Amino acid sequence: MEKAKVYFTREITPEAMIRLYEALGVKLEGKAAVKLHSGEVGNQNFLRPEFMKPMVDYVKGTIVECNTAYEGKRSTTREHWETMKLHGWTGIAEVDILDEEGEIELAIPEGQRIQKNFIGDHIGKYDSMLVLSHFKGHPMGGFGGALKNISIGLASSHGKAYIHGAGNVEEIWTSDHDSFLESMADASKSIMDYFGEKIAFINVMKNMSVDCDCCAVAEDPAMADIGILASLDPVALDQACLDLVYASDDPGRDHLLERIESRNGIHTIEAAAGIGVGSREYELAEL
């Protein structure tokens, strides 16, 4: 597989994000979904609506999210809508909770651990998708980026439990860890197959706590912000973000890397590349 193109800027502004998107040379036609993280109530690190709004407006997008599979203020549709309003998302764009009315099943013939994925059935309303991911640590995955955002992030509440349990919802928190990471990779393949060439990715390396935006109680970031990256390849994009963390001389780097390495975070990228989600080989173009 040829090297993917990844665009990078150290400027962390809404305008820079739009420039990176334009550099991709893709036009997300029709009704565009914008997948981002609504942020758990209490979390201080999630990227705010005012930062995301210009990019959402640029693609005339609808913000989409799915309910969670754990306790919190996003586990039911009612509470998730309340959170969307509380955090200001409904004030900047149309919002759609994809699994509000049910789910659909996507087949994953190449799946290593799971051969099906469950996502909110509202996905059928959209022709294209822009995935705006906050790159940071994660308590289970080691890190969260583009791959996590289209696997766990787009799965329905039931689908999240299915991925976590590597195909067994009863083992949501007790499944083999690498099998869970491989299941995330499998789920990401189903989304790439679903949208084909009508999906693009942007990762924002800001507020990089070891904890995810899904944590109501999260650690403050120990590492300095790095920048924004964009690609049409989620594997290359996440790999480039990891490489930038490793290459950093910031004193907080090791704290974030301990979280990533202790959870074998790289394995999600390895597994996704192994089934053709994307390529770990990339060309970085700094703008």
Side-chain angles (χ1 to χ4, degrees), residues 5-206:
K5 195 84 169 182
V6 178
Y7 295 91
F8 169 53
T9 179
R10 298 180 190 278
E11 179 186 334
I12 305 179
T13 65
E15 295 74 24
M17 192 185 304
I18 291 172
R19 286 200 303 274
L20 286 188
Y21 171 77
E22 291 175 334
L24 294 175
V26 65
K27 181 171 174 56
L28 298 179
E29 297 179 339
K31 189 170 177 61
V34 179
K35 175 64 179 76
L36 47 73
H37 201 300
S38 48
E40 186 57 67
V41 175
N43 185 279
Q44 74 276 33
N45 299 317
F46 72 94
L47 301 179
R48 298 307 197 262
E50 55 269 24
F51 179 77
M52 298 293 209
K53 177 175 167 53
M55 187 71 255
V56 176
D57 289 347
Y58 190 85
V59 297
K60 300 179 175 62
T62 298
I63 294 169
V64 301
E65 259 282 36
C66 285
N67 294 323
T68 62
Y70 51 83
E71 291 184 5
K73 296 297 184 182
R74 298 180 302 132
S75 61
T76 67
T77 297
R78 180 183 63 78
E79 288 182 310
H80 205 161
W81 273 114
E82 290 173 357
T83 299
M84 283 293 196
K85 292 170 185 173
L86 176 68
H87 285 171
W89 298 113
T90 57
I92 68 160
E94 182 182 350
V95 172
D96 189 357
I97 296 176
L98 295 178
D99 59 336
E100 180 171 8
E101 296 178 291
E103 63 186 18
I104 62 170
E105 180 181 316
L106 300 181
I108 319 169
E110 308 89 341
Q112 302 155 97
R113 294 294 171 182
I114 56 174
Q115 283 72 52
K116 54 188 176 181
N117 184 28
F118 301 94
I119 63 174
D121 62 6
H122 286 190
I123 199 77
K125 299 192 298 186
Y126 302 97
D127 304 298
S128 58
M129 177 171 282
L130 177 61
V131 183
L132 299 182
S133 304
H134 178 200
F135 186 89
K136 69 285 181 192
H138 191 275
M140 291 191 70
F143 76 92
L147 291 169
K148 179 181 175 293
N149 209 1
I150 61 171
S151 56
I152 288 288
L154 276 176
S156 64
S157 180
H158 160 247
K160 286 177 171 62
Y162 189 81
I163 294 169
H164 268 285
N168 184 351
V169 295
E170 300 301 321
E171 296 182 6
I172 178 172
W173 307 124
T174 58
S175 68
D176 172 71
H177 186 71
D178 280 359
S179 296
F180 155 59
L181 301 179
E182 290 160 9
S183 296
M184 278 206 293
D186 293 343
S188 70
K189 181 71 166 70
S190 72
I191 299 301
M192 295 300 287
D193 289 346
Y194 184 88
F195 281 105
E197 297 180 352
K198 300 175 181 177
I199 187 167
F201 302 87
I202 297 175
N203 280 6
V204 181
M205 300 185 76
K206 172 183 172 67

Side-chain angles (χ1 to χ4, degrees), residues 272-284:
I275 57 171
V277 176
S279 172
R280 296 180 69 186
E281 300 293 322
Y282 64 90
E283 177 186 343
L284 190 69

